[in-house]
Amino acid sequence: MQGEVGPSTVSVVALHGGAGSSTLTRVLAKVANSNPGGLTMTETPAPGVIPRVGPVVLVARTSGIGLDRAHAAAREWGSGALPGLALLGLVFVADGPKPVAELAPGMKRVARMYPRTWFMPWVPAWHLVPTPSLDRPPRATTKVARTVLTWAAERGLEPNPKEINR
């Protein structure tokens, strides 16, 4: 799949199983499709598979494993090990109705390691079925999708040479 990513395609990468990337990809695609001529979205084939080139949005839950994987991915990117990658940012997906206070400092620390970080809210109905309906996604989720897509469009889809050796 990595070779199939085109110049206007953003890869959505789950940093761990259950990160919420499938649903996020569907929400992003729905919002992108409402703006013809925009970006297309593709989900990578397995959690943690980060393409070596092209624009990428990473996804992690607001949990211990999510923070750990988001931290590790940011360090790998920051080391210059992924020079062809245009890292757009990280989407934290809420893993429950209320944030866990003990994780807040770690989330802030990890968020500072990314060009941009977004927070997808908890949607209880989405946890009741295997594939959530997106006929009427919550306004908060479409708002996050719009900001991610706007950031991607403004940022451009090529790697930023200034950030390759961060």
Side-chain angles (χ1 to χ4, degrees):
M1 176 172 275
Q2 292 175 10
E4 298 172 13
V5 174
S8 63
T9 300
V10 175
S11 295
V12 180
V13 179
L15 292 176
H16 55 89
S21 63
S22 295
T23 301
L24 175 64
T25 302
R26 291 178 57 228
V27 172
L28 288 167
K30 181 176 179 72
V31 172
N33 287 338
S34 67
N35 300 318
L39 305 172
T40 57
M41 304 310 211
T42 185
E43 186 178 11
T44 55
V49 176
I50 301 175
R52 296 292 176 199
V53 296
V56 172
V57 172
L58 302 179
V59 185
R61 286 277 179 190
T62 56
S63 63
I65 191 167
L67 290 177
D68 179 65
R69 300 293 165 79
H71 182 263
R75 289 182 55 85
E76 182 178 5
W77 172 69
S79 75
L82 305 168
L85 188 73
L87 180 60
L88 299 173
L90 170 71
V91 177
F92 272 128
V93 177
D95 71 334
K98 295 174 90 175
V100 177
E102 292 84 1
L103 294 177
M107 287 175 56
K108 288 179 184 176
R109 190 170 39 257
V110 168
R112 286 192 301 265
M113 299 172 78
Y114 285 86
R116 183 87 190 260
T117 305
W118 302 274
F119 295 90
M120 184 67 77
W122 173 256
V123 181
W126 288 359
H127 295 274
L128 302 176
V129 294
T131 305
S133 169
L134 296 181
D135 290 338
R136 301 175 89 195
R139 185 172 294 152
T141 63
T142 56
K143 182 179 178 181
V144 170
R146 274 192 221 99
T147 61
V148 170
L149 292 166
T150 299
W151 176 257
E154 290 172 355
R155 182 114 149 104
L157 297 176
E158 298 302 319
N160 183 343
K162 293 180 182 175
E163 293 184 350
I164 287 175
N165 294 316
R166 281 181 76 183

